[in-house]
Amino acid sequence: QGAAFRVRGRRRRRRPARGPDLGFFPFLDGAVVCDACNGLLLFRTAGTARFYVVDPVTRRWAALPPPSRDARLSMLAFDPSPSGDPSPSPARRGYHVFNFTGRWRERGGEVEVFSSEAWAWAARDVEFGVPPGALSGSMHFHGGAVYALASDPDCVVRMDVDDPELACAVAELPAEPEDGDGRLAHSGGRLHYVARGGAQLKVWVLDDYDSSPAALRWRLKHAVKLDAVAEGGHGGDDDVRFLALHPEKDAAYIWSAWRLVEYDLTRKEVTGAWEFGEGEKNRVVKTWLVPSSLYLSDCPLADAHVQC
């Protein structure tokens, strides 16, 4: 269902990509990665409701208790450092797993949430503000909130993790992606929206981050020519696809004809490239950027529920 990898950029590095060593996780053969967030991976055993949260840096993992219902979509939310907040709310101290169960209403539905602090699942009846069928499944966690892209009209739904009822608000997007493949990401502590427009990849940043969701203001920050990313005869514009933003520096990771490309958005140049083996059995379904940092040693896997 997916793959995860770590990247440390150097100028013009081009070599075969290698996955992280997850051999310490005993259920690797029977489980798949279904999400990742800020360095942690969410695994699910195929055909079951067994979830595992895995830290590839500290080589720790935790088996979660099974939820009460099966999930249509599952996502992980983890904030390792709540921006210098001396007294973060309980929702910020650990990680959460969100299961969208498919029990929909006209403009809402049931979401089952696992809290690592309570070590339990809790069902929430959430009012999304849009019909459930409009949610695209493209979701992103940042700054204590889950952001979900929706369509008809194109908008973003913000779900407040700190709120016991997961209060939602709907905000407009800066523009409609021409290929229907807009993505949310964060970098430098701010939320970004990335979408393809013609022969360009456009990056907007949310300037008024602390304002109410209904008053979000987006600013066009970068416009990247796709042929600059697909340079060197590595496919055409149709082969270029945005994957992730670097969480700290102004760089994007882009898929281009079986290469993972690191692109400096400020200098507008390729600063790294990693080759993937092309073949009938190789297919990229979904990707995540998994940061490698010592701060993960303080993550909530270091408790009684962890396995080493």
Side-chain angles (χ1 to χ4, degrees):
Q1 296 290 333
F5 44 79
R6 292 176 286 171
V7 176
R8 293 174 182 163
R10 292 182 181 175
R11 291 183 57 82
R12 292 292 179 183
R13 183 169 62 178
R14 183 171 297 172
R15 65 185 187 185
R18 295 187 304 169
D21 179 12
L22 296 175
F24 65 92
F25 178 51
F27 304 105
L28 185 61
D29 291 340
V32 294
V33 180
C34 54
D35 198 19
C37 185
N38 289 324
L40 299 184
L41 303 176
L42 178 65
F43 278 83
R44 180 175 181 173
T45 303
T48 75
R50 297 297 303 179
F51 287 93
Y52 307 90
V53 176
V54 178
D55 182 350
V57 177
T58 63
R59 300 173 66 84
R60 292 173 174 264
W61 60 274
L64 308 190
S68 62
R69 300 187 187 280
D70 200 3
R72 294 282 188 89
L73 174 70
S74 301
M75 70 165 295
L76 177 66
F78 171 53
D79 189 351
S81 54
S83 302
D85 187 350
S87 56
S89 67
R92 300 290 189 91
R93 294 184 187 132
Y95 57 83
H96 292 75
V97 176
F98 292 81
N99 276 353
F100 293 80
T101 65
R103 301 188 67 179
W104 305 134
R105 294 181 288 99
E106 182 178 357
R107 298 177 70 83
E110 183 186 69
V111 180
E112 199 169 5
V113 183
F114 175 81
S115 166
S116 63
E117 184 179 59
W119 204 252
W121 295 86
R124 299 284 186 266
D125 188 18
V126 181
E127 190 70 24
F128 301 133
V130 299
L135 298 176
S136 68
S138 177
M139 298 187 179
H140 180 75
F141 173 77
H142 177 60
V146 171
Y147 294 86
L149 292 180
S151 58
D152 296 327
D154 290 310
C155 59
V156 58
V157 177
R158 183 184 188 276
M159 184 182 302
D160 188 353
V161 177
D162 289 348
D163 187 277
E165 302 302 321
L166 302 179
C168 295
V170 178
E172 295 182 354
L173 289 172
E176 295 183 5
E178 295 185 10
D179 65 352
D181 191 28
R183 296 281 301 277
L184 294 167
H186 69 272
S187 181
R190 291 184 179 273
L191 189 70
H192 290 66
Y193 175 67
V194 184
R196 180 167 176 167
Q200 291 184 322
L201 191 70
K202 297 182 178 180
V203 181
W204 286 267
V205 61
L206 188 61
D207 276 335
D208 298 332
Y209 180 75
D210 293 328
S211 63
S212 66
L216 298 183
R217 294 292 180 267
W218 300 91
R219 170 175 57 87
L220 182 62
K221 185 178 180 182
H222 299 289
V224 178
K225 293 183 179 180
L226 296 180
D227 57 4
V229 180
E231 63 181 4
H234 290 269
D237 292 354
D238 293 338
D239 297 315
V240 178
R241 180 159 54 94
F242 169 77
L243 300 180
L245 291 179
H246 193 285
E248 296 176 352
K249 63 183 181 181
D250 214 10
Y253 294 97
I254 300 171
W255 180 260
S256 175
W258 293 99
R259 294 188 309 161
L260 170 66
V261 175
E262 181 188 73
Y263 189 85
D264 189 306
L265 294 167
T266 301
R267 293 184 292 181
K268 298 190 183 312
E269 63 179 6
V270 175
T271 52
W274 294 261
E275 304 283 352
F276 282 76
E278 185 175 0
E280 293 183 358
K281 295 183 179 180
N282 294 333
R283 183 167 65 98
V284 176
V285 177
K286 190 174 182 180
T287 59
W288 298 274
L289 183 68
V290 182
S292 298
S293 176
L294 293 179
Y295 65 64
L296 290 173
S297 62
D298 297 327
C299 82
L301 289 180
D303 58 25
H305 307 286
V306 73
Q307 303 289 332
C308 298

